[in-house]
Short mmCIF file of all heavy atoms in Angstrom, two decimals:
data_model
loop_
_atom_site.label_atom_id
_atom_site.label_comp_id
_atom_site.label_asym_id
_atom_site.label_seq_id
_atom_site.Cartn_x
_atom_site.Cartn_y
_atom_site.Cartn_z
N ALA F 1492 -21.76 23.89 -36.49
CA ALA F 1492 -20.79 24.84 -36.03
C ALA F 1492 -19.70 23.94 -35.21
O ALA F 1492 -20.08 23.04 -34.47
CB ALA F 1492 -21.29 25.87 -35.16
N PRO F 1493 -18.52 24.27 -35.35
CA PRO F 1493 -17.42 23.61 -34.58
C PRO F 1493 -17.65 23.83 -33.04
O PRO F 1493 -18.24 24.97 -32.76
CB PRO F 1493 -16.18 24.11 -35.04
CG PRO F 1493 -16.48 25.62 -35.73
CD PRO F 1493 -17.87 25.26 -36.16
N PRO F 1494 -17.30 23.00 -32.22
CA PRO F 1494 -17.33 23.34 -30.67
C PRO F 1494 -16.55 24.45 -30.30
O PRO F 1494 -15.50 24.71 -30.88
CB PRO F 1494 -16.87 21.99 -30.13
CG PRO F 1494 -16.03 21.41 -31.18
CD PRO F 1494 -16.61 21.71 -32.51
N LEU F 1495 -17.15 25.19 -29.33
CA LEU F 1495 -16.45 26.39 -28.86
C LEU F 1495 -15.21 25.83 -28.00
O LEU F 1495 -15.31 24.83 -27.22
CB LEU F 1495 -17.36 27.21 -27.90
CG LEU F 1495 -18.57 27.87 -28.61
CD1 LEU F 1495 -19.46 28.49 -27.61
CD2 LEU F 1495 -18.08 28.76 -29.67
N THR F 1496 -14.11 26.49 -28.18
CA THR F 1496 -12.95 26.14 -27.44
C THR F 1496 -12.43 27.30 -26.75
O THR F 1496 -12.48 28.48 -27.29
CB THR F 1496 -11.83 25.63 -28.35
OG1 THR F 1496 -11.49 26.67 -29.28
CG2 THR F 1496 -12.27 24.33 -29.09
N ALA F 1497 -11.96 27.08 -25.48
CA ALA F 1497 -11.44 28.21 -24.71
C ALA F 1497 -10.08 28.55 -25.13
O ALA F 1497 -9.41 27.67 -25.59
CB ALA F 1497 -11.47 27.82 -23.15
N PRO F 1498 -9.71 29.81 -25.06
CA PRO F 1498 -8.30 30.17 -25.46
C PRO F 1498 -7.24 29.57 -24.40
O PRO F 1498 -7.60 29.25 -23.28
CB PRO F 1498 -8.27 31.68 -25.25
CG PRO F 1498 -9.33 31.92 -24.17
CD PRO F 1498 -10.45 30.98 -24.51
N PRO F 1499 -6.13 29.13 -25.01
CA PRO F 1499 -5.26 28.41 -24.14
C PRO F 1499 -4.83 29.39 -22.91
O PRO F 1499 -4.73 30.58 -23.06
CB PRO F 1499 -3.95 28.17 -25.07
CG PRO F 1499 -4.13 29.15 -26.23
CD PRO F 1499 -5.68 29.34 -26.45
N PRO F 1500 -4.53 28.68 -21.82
CA PRO F 1500 -4.20 29.62 -20.71
C PRO F 1500 -2.86 30.21 -20.89
O PRO F 1500 -2.03 29.66 -21.50
CB PRO F 1500 -4.18 28.62 -19.53
CG PRO F 1500 -4.01 27.23 -20.09
CD PRO F 1500 -4.60 27.33 -21.52
N ALA F 1501 -2.59 31.29 -20.35
CA ALA F 1501 -1.30 32.06 -20.43
C ALA F 1501 -0.33 31.22 -19.50
O ALA F 1501 -0.64 30.75 -18.49
CB ALA F 1501 -1.40 33.42 -19.94
N SER F 1502 0.91 31.28 -20.05
CA SER F 1502 2.00 30.53 -19.25
C SER F 1502 2.20 31.30 -17.92
O SER F 1502 2.33 32.51 -17.97
CB SER F 1502 3.26 30.53 -20.04
OG SER F 1502 3.06 29.75 -21.23
N PRO F 1503 2.31 30.65 -16.80
CA PRO F 1503 2.50 31.32 -15.58
C PRO F 1503 3.88 31.91 -15.48
O PRO F 1503 4.84 31.30 -16.08
CB PRO F 1503 2.32 30.25 -14.42
CG PRO F 1503 2.66 28.84 -15.25
CD PRO F 1503 2.22 29.17 -16.68
N ALA F 1504 4.06 32.99 -14.87
CA ALA F 1504 5.43 33.52 -14.67
C ALA F 1504 6.22 32.65 -13.78
O ALA F 1504 5.72 32.14 -12.77
CB ALA F 1504 5.29 34.99 -14.12
N LEU F 1505 7.43 32.48 -14.12
CA LEU F 1505 8.32 31.68 -13.37
C LEU F 1505 8.88 32.50 -12.05
O LEU F 1505 9.40 33.59 -12.35
CB LEU F 1505 9.57 31.15 -14.20
CG LEU F 1505 9.29 30.12 -15.26
CD1 LEU F 1505 10.53 29.81 -15.95
CD2 LEU F 1505 8.71 28.86 -14.50
N ASP F 1506 8.76 31.88 -10.92
CA ASP F 1506 9.37 32.48 -9.73
C ASP F 1506 10.72 31.85 -9.63
O ASP F 1506 10.89 30.85 -8.83
CB ASP F 1506 8.50 32.21 -8.54
CG ASP F 1506 8.96 33.01 -7.28
OD1 ASP F 1506 9.86 33.70 -7.35
OD2 ASP F 1506 8.45 32.46 -6.20
N VAL F 1507 11.66 32.30 -10.28
CA VAL F 1507 13.08 31.63 -10.24
C VAL F 1507 13.80 31.86 -9.01
O VAL F 1507 13.87 32.98 -8.34
CB VAL F 1507 13.95 32.26 -11.42
CG1 VAL F 1507 15.34 31.63 -11.38
CG2 VAL F 1507 13.20 32.13 -12.82
N SER F 1508 14.24 30.74 -8.40
CA SER F 1508 14.95 30.88 -7.12
C SER F 1508 16.20 31.48 -7.26
O SER F 1508 17.01 31.26 -8.21
CB SER F 1508 15.09 29.29 -6.54
OG SER F 1508 15.97 29.35 -5.43
N PRO F 1509 16.59 32.27 -6.18
CA PRO F 1509 18.01 32.84 -6.18
C PRO F 1509 19.08 31.92 -5.97
O PRO F 1509 20.19 32.31 -6.10
CB PRO F 1509 17.94 33.91 -5.04
CG PRO F 1509 16.76 33.36 -4.14
CD PRO F 1509 15.79 32.75 -5.05
N LEU F 1510 18.75 30.61 -5.59
CA LEU F 1510 19.71 29.58 -5.44
C LEU F 1510 20.36 29.12 -6.70
O LEU F 1510 21.35 28.45 -6.76
CB LEU F 1510 19.19 28.46 -4.53
CG LEU F 1510 18.70 28.69 -3.18
CD1 LEU F 1510 18.07 27.46 -2.54
CD2 LEU F 1510 19.88 29.31 -2.35
N ARG F 1511 19.61 29.30 -7.79
CA ARG F 1511 20.00 28.85 -9.06
C ARG F 1511 21.37 29.34 -9.43
O ARG F 1511 21.59 30.50 -9.52
CB ARG F 1511 18.92 29.25 -10.17
CG ARG F 1511 19.12 28.61 -11.47
CD ARG F 1511 17.97 28.80 -12.41
NE ARG F 1511 18.02 28.31 -13.70
CZ ARG F 1511 18.40 28.96 -14.71
NH1 ARG F 1511 18.62 30.17 -14.65
NH2 ARG F 1511 18.47 28.38 -15.86
N GLY F 1512 22.33 28.42 -9.78
CA GLY F 1512 23.64 28.74 -10.13
C GLY F 1512 24.56 29.17 -9.00
O GLY F 1512 25.61 29.71 -9.21
N SER F 1513 24.17 28.76 -7.75
CA SER F 1513 24.94 29.18 -6.56
C SER F 1513 25.47 27.88 -5.87
O SER F 1513 24.99 26.80 -6.16
CB SER F 1513 24.13 30.03 -5.64
OG SER F 1513 23.17 29.27 -5.03
N THR F 1514 26.40 28.04 -4.88
CA THR F 1514 26.82 27.13 -4.01
C THR F 1514 26.72 27.70 -2.63
O THR F 1514 27.08 28.79 -2.33
CB THR F 1514 28.30 26.68 -4.28
OG1 THR F 1514 28.35 26.25 -5.62
CG2 THR F 1514 28.88 25.63 -3.36
N GLU F 1515 26.24 26.85 -1.65
CA GLU F 1515 26.11 27.26 -0.29
C GLU F 1515 26.51 26.24 0.68
O GLU F 1515 26.58 24.98 0.36
CB GLU F 1515 24.72 27.73 0.02
CG GLU F 1515 23.69 26.64 0.02
CD GLU F 1515 22.30 27.03 0.36
OE1 GLU F 1515 22.02 28.23 0.56
OE2 GLU F 1515 21.41 26.09 0.55
N LYS F 1516 26.89 26.55 1.85
CA LYS F 1516 27.27 25.77 2.91
C LYS F 1516 26.10 25.08 3.56
O LYS F 1516 24.94 25.68 3.60
CB LYS F 1516 27.92 26.52 4.02
CG LYS F 1516 29.42 26.97 3.73
CD LYS F 1516 30.39 25.86 3.63
CE LYS F 1516 31.81 26.38 3.58
NZ LYS F 1516 32.83 25.23 3.60
N LEU F 1517 26.17 23.71 3.81
CA LEU F 1517 25.11 23.03 4.43
C LEU F 1517 24.94 23.48 5.84
O LEU F 1517 25.89 23.89 6.59
CB LEU F 1517 25.43 21.45 4.50
CG LEU F 1517 25.28 20.75 3.14
CD1 LEU F 1517 25.70 19.27 3.37
CD2 LEU F 1517 23.99 20.82 2.50
N SER F 1518 23.61 23.69 6.25
CA SER F 1518 23.47 24.02 7.62
C SER F 1518 23.71 22.86 8.56
O SER F 1518 23.80 21.73 8.08
CB SER F 1518 21.94 24.49 7.83
OG SER F 1518 21.08 23.39 7.57
N ARG F 1519 23.80 23.17 9.84
CA ARG F 1519 24.12 22.09 10.86
C ARG F 1519 22.87 21.06 10.83
O ARG F 1519 23.21 19.82 10.85
CB ARG F 1519 24.24 22.64 12.21
CG ARG F 1519 24.48 21.71 13.30
CD ARG F 1519 24.70 22.31 14.65
NE ARG F 1519 24.82 21.36 15.71
CZ ARG F 1519 23.81 20.99 16.41
NH1 ARG F 1519 22.59 21.34 16.19
NH2 ARG F 1519 23.90 20.02 17.42
N LEU F 1520 21.67 21.62 10.75
CA LEU F 1520 20.57 20.68 10.76
C LEU F 1520 20.55 19.80 9.48
O LEU F 1520 20.21 18.70 9.51
CB LEU F 1520 19.27 21.54 10.74
CG LEU F 1520 17.91 20.70 10.64
CD1 LEU F 1520 17.79 19.73 11.80
CD2 LEU F 1520 16.81 21.65 10.66
N ARG F 1521 20.80 20.35 8.29
CA ARG F 1521 20.92 19.65 7.06
C ARG F 1521 21.92 18.47 7.10
O ARG F 1521 21.76 17.34 6.75
CB ARG F 1521 21.08 20.47 5.84
CG ARG F 1521 21.11 19.75 4.59
CD ARG F 1521 20.03 18.87 4.37
NE ARG F 1521 18.72 19.48 4.38
CZ ARG F 1521 17.52 18.85 4.39
NH1 ARG F 1521 17.47 17.55 4.36
NH2 ARG F 1521 16.40 19.50 4.49
N LYS F 1522 23.11 18.72 7.76
CA LYS F 1522 24.04 17.76 7.96
C LYS F 1522 23.67 16.68 8.87
O LYS F 1522 23.85 15.45 8.55
CB LYS F 1522 25.39 18.49 8.56
CG LYS F 1522 26.16 19.24 7.57
CD LYS F 1522 27.38 19.89 8.24
CE LYS F 1522 28.25 20.67 7.30
NZ LYS F 1522 29.43 21.27 7.99
N ILE F 1523 22.98 16.99 9.99
CA ILE F 1523 22.42 15.95 10.85
C ILE F 1523 21.38 15.11 10.08
O ILE F 1523 21.43 13.90 10.21
CB ILE F 1523 21.87 16.63 12.10
CG1 ILE F 1523 22.83 17.35 12.93
CG2 ILE F 1523 21.01 15.62 12.88
CD1 ILE F 1523 22.37 18.13 14.03
N ILE F 1524 20.48 15.76 9.39
CA ILE F 1524 19.48 15.02 8.59
C ILE F 1524 20.05 14.02 7.62
O ILE F 1524 19.78 12.84 7.49
CB ILE F 1524 18.49 15.94 7.90
CG1 ILE F 1524 17.61 16.66 8.97
CG2 ILE F 1524 17.59 15.21 6.96
CD1 ILE F 1524 16.76 17.87 8.32
N ALA F 1525 21.05 14.52 6.90
CA ALA F 1525 21.76 13.72 5.82
C ALA F 1525 22.43 12.56 6.50
O ALA F 1525 22.36 11.37 5.96
CB ALA F 1525 22.77 14.61 5.08
N ARG F 1526 23.09 12.78 7.61
CA ARG F 1526 23.85 11.69 8.24
C ARG F 1526 22.83 10.63 8.73
O ARG F 1526 23.15 9.43 8.57
CB ARG F 1526 24.70 12.20 9.33
CG ARG F 1526 25.43 11.11 10.07
CD ARG F 1526 26.44 11.68 11.11
NE ARG F 1526 25.77 12.24 12.21
CZ ARG F 1526 25.69 13.63 12.46
NH1 ARG F 1526 26.33 14.51 11.61
NH2 ARG F 1526 25.05 14.08 13.53
N ARG F 1527 21.74 11.08 9.38
CA ARG F 1527 20.82 10.13 9.98
C ARG F 1527 20.04 9.41 8.88
O ARG F 1527 19.79 8.11 9.22
CB ARG F 1527 19.83 10.90 10.94
CG ARG F 1527 20.49 11.39 12.18
CD ARG F 1527 19.55 12.13 13.10
NE ARG F 1527 20.07 12.54 14.34
CZ ARG F 1527 19.33 13.23 15.25
NH1 ARG F 1527 18.22 13.75 14.95
NH2 ARG F 1527 20.00 13.65 16.30
N MET F 1528 19.74 10.05 7.82
CA MET F 1528 19.05 9.30 6.75
C MET F 1528 19.98 8.17 6.14
O MET F 1528 19.51 7.11 5.85
CB MET F 1528 18.57 10.28 5.69
CG MET F 1528 17.43 11.25 6.14
SD MET F 1528 15.92 10.50 6.66
CE MET F 1528 16.20 10.43 8.47
N SER F 1529 21.18 8.58 5.96
CA SER F 1529 22.14 7.55 5.40
C SER F 1529 22.28 6.39 6.33
O SER F 1529 22.32 5.21 6.03
CB SER F 1529 23.44 8.22 5.11
OG SER F 1529 23.37 9.17 4.14
N GLU F 1530 22.47 6.77 7.60
CA GLU F 1530 22.67 5.68 8.66
C GLU F 1530 21.41 4.70 8.75
O GLU F 1530 21.52 3.56 8.95
CB GLU F 1530 22.96 6.31 10.06
CG GLU F 1530 24.39 6.92 10.03
CD GLU F 1530 24.56 7.71 11.42
OE1 GLU F 1530 23.60 7.89 12.12
OE2 GLU F 1530 25.67 8.08 11.64
N SER F 1531 20.27 5.49 8.66
CA SER F 1531 19.08 4.61 8.69
C SER F 1531 18.95 3.62 7.62
O SER F 1531 18.62 2.38 7.81
CB SER F 1531 17.86 5.64 8.58
OG SER F 1531 16.60 4.81 8.67
N LEU F 1532 19.25 3.96 6.31
CA LEU F 1532 19.23 3.12 5.22
C LEU F 1532 20.32 2.02 5.31
O LEU F 1532 20.18 0.94 4.94
CB LEU F 1532 19.36 3.87 3.88
CG LEU F 1532 18.20 4.68 3.57
CD1 LEU F 1532 18.50 5.57 2.23
CD2 LEU F 1532 16.95 3.76 3.22
N GLN F 1533 21.43 2.35 5.85
CA GLN F 1533 22.59 1.44 5.93
C GLN F 1533 22.47 0.52 7.02
O GLN F 1533 22.94 -0.67 7.00
CB GLN F 1533 23.88 2.23 6.20
CG GLN F 1533 24.29 3.05 5.03
CD GLN F 1533 25.41 4.12 5.42
OE1 GLN F 1533 25.91 4.12 6.50
NE2 GLN F 1533 25.84 4.83 4.38
N ASN F 1534 21.63 0.79 8.11
CA ASN F 1534 21.65 -0.14 9.23
C ASN F 1534 20.29 -0.83 9.49
O ASN F 1534 20.21 -1.50 10.56
CB ASN F 1534 21.98 0.74 10.52
CG ASN F 1534 23.49 1.12 10.48
OD1 ASN F 1534 24.42 0.43 10.72
ND2 ASN F 1534 23.76 2.35 10.19
N THR F 1535 19.37 -0.70 8.63
CA THR F 1535 18.09 -1.27 8.76
C THR F 1535 17.70 -1.96 7.38
O THR F 1535 18.25 -1.53 6.33
CB THR F 1535 17.02 -0.31 9.23
OG1 THR F 1535 16.85 0.72 8.20
CG2 THR F 1535 17.30 0.20 10.55
N ALA F 1536 16.71 -2.84 7.42
CA ALA F 1536 16.16 -3.55 6.23
C ALA F 1536 14.89 -2.85 5.92
O ALA F 1536 13.87 -3.37 6.45
CB ALA F 1536 16.11 -5.01 6.40
#
Side-chain angles (χ1 to χ4, degrees):
L1495 296 176
T1496 57
S1502 298
L1505 288 178
D1506 185 13
V1507 178
S1508 170
L1510 296 178
R1511 189 168 180 261
S1513 68
T1514 300
E1515 65 177 8
K1516 289 285 188 180
L1517 290 178
S1518 67
R1519 178 176 175 274
L1520 176 60
R1521 179 50 57 187
K1522 288 180 179 179
I1523 292 172
I1524 292 172
R1526 184 175 66 252
R1527 287 181 177 174
M1528 293 300 96
S1529 296
E1530 289 174 351
S1531 178
L1532 287 173
Q1533 291 167 1
N1534 292 287
T1535 58

